[in-house]
Amino acid sequence: MAFRFCWLGICLLIVGTVSAQNSQSIAQLKQADKVQNSRERITFLLSAEGLQTISDDSIKAAYLQKLGNTYAQAYSNDTALYHLNEALQLVGSKPFKLLKGEIYNSLGNTSLTLSATDDAMKYYNAGLEEVGDLHTVDGASLKSRLLGNIGGIYNELEQYSKSLEYAQASFQVIQEYNLTERYFMGHLVLAFAHSALGHLDQSMEHNLKVLDIILQNGDSSYLAYAYKNIGSIYHQKQDWKRAEEYYLNAKEVAWIVQEYEVYVSCFSNLAEVSEQQGQLKTGIRFAQQGIEAAKMYGLLPKHIEAIKFYYLLLRKSNQIELALAVHEEYMALKDSLFRLETVAQIEEIESKYEKAEQQKEIALLTAQQELTKSELSRKQQVQIFLVGASALSIIILMLVIYSQRQKARLRHEILEGQLNEYRIRLNEMLGKYEGDFSLSLEELNGRVSNPISEREYEVLKMIFTQKTNQEIADELYLSINTVKSHLKNLYDKLGVNNRGDVVKLIASRK
């Protein structure tokens, strides 16, 4: 009898110890959410006592998912995928539906950042399968996010009807479970979906809902964007007075909350609206203010946008001499931006590679330190096993690091060569051709074998105005990845390899 009571006491002690450790781990994971800087949060998660030795599978998977999400926020996407896949393997076939759904959602978001659209769609749908029969508030919140994410992918693929379908399904879940914190995003997604289909009235309705939610919550961080979106819709509807009103509101709010990109961009919008109303002097004044603001805040793309409108307005008002001087400055700025973008792309590749290597080394060193601490209190047999396992892990990790380094170096060399070739060809093209694109879509499709879509035609016209991919994305309200996809489709349909070849081909057929 005494032996039984002793054994029961030992079991209760073990259960109590494990429960205390789990509670400590959960508290540390919540504490990590309060760390705003992603790099600092990574350091906290890797160094927090007890997080490296979590025994509960669900808590450990939640830890790995949080670590993966944080790496993704720090743009270390390869490391993020590594930890997220670890989390997914850990939960396996266990009945952690909500947790597995969150992991799939994180994998989808990270894949989308890497432009792996097919993988992202696969992960989002897998997440939906996990939470499809969960009738809880947390499950509904995740389901609405997954549906919205899938709708976003369809939007990028220009399948706008499917995009709207998923946006509406997401909003239906939000309404059914009264997810107050999701109403803002639900209306925003619907606004974009309707706008893509040309449903300006419906888009306006949801944008106004977004504005109402912002004003009710007193959160001014998104207010400038809301005003600018509504102004853009009135702009498309050619309601110049209302567009001007909302652009002015957006400009004022952006100045207050220090959203300087929105602030500067509004000047260009106002310059264009003034031009449409025949108020050339007012438009010139807005363009000049936009140029000064862009210079002040070092926003080169916005500077180029403002000076372009300034040049067009000067030309339209017959100030030819000044217009020519401004045009020279415009071309010099575009050349400067091209050089900066080329250098930035190379530096981004190098930076991502270096950061991933550093974080892997930190993770390895931290794991070794934790193992060293735990080895001191274990028996010799367990110590030998852990040392052997650690050595094997180090060898595997070193092989992975070496393989990733080789792949990254090869990608860097290939991209550097492509960027150099692109720079040379674009400089040649800029020297040989300059002008407006005058072919209509019907005329162009009559001269090519593969018909070009309206969106691809819009991108094509902007190539002739020497816009960068980011400028095209900003003007057409698209993501940079969607612009790249349109460019690839254009190259395939026209049978060319780059922008220079597109210009030469179209110029030869005019």
Side-chain angles (χ1 to χ4, degrees), residues 101-114:
E102 290 286 2
I103 295 170
Y104 278 127
N105 188 49
S106 298
L107 282 165
N109 293 339
T110 306
S111 299
L112 206 56
T113 303
L114 292 168

Side-chain angles (χ1 to χ4, degrees), residues 412-479:
H412 170 66
E413 290 174 356
I414 293 172
L415 182 58
E416 186 175 26
Q418 291 175 338
L419 289 174
N420 286 333
E421 181 183 351
Y422 177 65
R423 187 190 308 116
I424 292 169
R425 292 189 178 183
L426 184 57
N427 285 335
E428 291 175 353
M429 179 270 291
L430 291 175
K432 293 178 180 179
Y433 183 81
E434 178 182 352
D436 296 326
F437 182 76
S438 59
L439 287 176
S440 68
L441 178 59
E442 292 77 15
E443 290 174 330
L444 181 58
N445 279 334
R447 303 183 185 190
V448 296
S449 56
N450 294 321
I452 293 171
S453 70
E454 290 187 6
R455 185 65 80 176
E456 291 165 353
Y457 177 71
E458 291 177 348
V459 173
L460 178 59
K461 288 195 295 183
M462 292 187 181
I463 291 176
F464 276 73
T465 61
Q466 302 167 16
K467 289 185 180 293
T468 63
N469 289 354
Q470 188 60 58
E471 287 179 290
I472 294 173
D474 291 344
E475 188 154 337
L476 295 181
Y477 302 99
L478 301 173
S479 72

Side-chain angles (χ1 to χ4, degrees), residues 19-272:
S19 177
Q21 290 175 342
N22 289 343
S23 298
Q24 180 188 11
S25 298
I26 293 171
Q28 288 174 325
L29 291 177
K30 291 181 178 179
Q31 186 178 350
D33 291 332
K34 299 178 182 178
V35 181
Q36 297 297 321
N37 183 277
S38 56
R39 291 292 173 189
E40 293 177 2
R41 196 181 317 129
I42 288 172
T43 302
F44 176 86
L45 289 168
L46 292 175
S47 60
E49 185 178 354
L51 285 180
Q52 299 294 332
T53 56
I54 300 171
S55 58
D56 186 282
D57 285 346
S58 63
I59 299 176
K60 188 170 184 178
Y63 161 72
L64 290 170
Q65 188 228 359
K66 191 175 294 293
L67 187 60
N69 279 343
T70 308
Y71 271 113
Q73 291 168 10
Y75 304 105
S76 298
N77 293 308
D78 290 337
T79 309
L81 288 175
Y82 172 77
H83 288 296
L84 291 170
N85 279 307
E86 269 197 321
L88 190 60
Q89 290 177 4
L90 189 63
V91 294
S93 58
K94 298 180 178 65
F96 304 140
K97 287 185 170 294
L98 184 61
L99 178 55
K100 280 195 280 189
E102 290 286 2
I103 295 170
Y104 278 127
N105 188 49
S106 298
L107 282 165
N109 293 339
T110 306
S111 299
L112 206 56
T113 303
L114 292 168
S115 301
T117 306
D118 291 340
D119 288 342
M121 183 71 83
K122 177 186 69 176
Y123 287 130
Y124 289 146
N125 279 309
L128 278 179
E129 289 183 13
E130 292 294 339
V131 300
D133 56 353
L134 286 181
H135 302 292
T136 64
V137 172
D138 288 339
S141 178
L142 176 56
K143 186 176 181 179
S144 73
R145 281 182 280 140
L146 288 163
L147 289 167
N149 290 339
I150 294 174
I153 291 179
Y154 279 122
N155 186 281
E156 291 208 5
L157 295 174
E158 296 188 13
Q159 298 183 31
Y160 299 127
S161 296
K162 294 287 288 184
S163 176
L164 179 59
E165 177 186 335
Y166 276 89
Q168 290 171 332
S170 174
F171 195 71
Q172 184 178 350
V173 174
I174 292 170
Q175 290 179 308
E176 182 180 351
Y177 287 85
N178 194 26
L179 305 174
T180 54
E181 78 287 354
R182 294 283 304 159
Y183 271 101
F184 172 85
M185 190 56 64
H187 282 296
L188 193 61
V189 171
L190 280 168
F192 280 120
H194 279 296
S195 179
L197 284 167
H199 303 162
L200 297 183
D201 290 337
Q202 293 91 327
S203 180
M204 175 68 78
E205 179 184 346
H206 289 291
N207 270 307
L208 289 172
K209 291 285 187 182
V210 170
L211 180 60
D212 185 54
I213 292 171
I214 292 172
L215 293 174
Q216 285 184 14
N217 294 340
D219 181 7
S220 59
S221 58
Y222 289 99
L223 186 56
Y225 293 98
Y227 279 136
K228 194 171 187 302
N229 287 344
I230 295 172
S232 175
I233 293 175
Y234 280 123
H235 197 144
Q236 293 177 69
K237 297 175 75 171
Q238 299 185 358
D239 187 341
W240 310 121
K241 291 292 184 183
R242 299 297 296 276
E244 181 180 31
E245 175 189 344
Y246 278 95
Y247 283 145
L248 286 170
N249 288 339
K251 179 175 71 69
E252 295 302 322
V253 175
W255 168 258
I256 294 170
V257 299
Q258 300 181 351
E259 290 287 350
Y260 295 125
E261 286 199 20
V262 177
Y263 175 70
V264 175
S265 181
C266 283
F267 283 112
S268 296
N269 296 134
L270 287 164
E272 186 176 0

Side-chain angles (χ1 to χ4, degrees), residues 462-508:
M462 292 187 181
I463 291 176
F464 276 73
T465 61
Q466 302 167 16
K467 289 185 180 293
T468 63
N469 289 354
Q470 188 60 58
E471 287 179 290
I472 294 173
D474 291 344
E475 188 154 337
L476 295 181
Y477 302 99
L478 301 173
S479 72
I480 188 71
N481 291 326
T482 301
V483 172
K484 291 178 181 178
S485 176
H486 287 320
L487 286 172
K488 181 180 181 302
N489 290 340
L490 274 171
Y491 297 161
D492 291 340
K493 291 180 178 181
L494 296 175
V496 297
N497 298 316
N498 53 52
R499 288 183 173 216
D501 290 342
V502 171
V503 173
K504 292 175 184 177
L505 177 65
I506 299 301
S508 68

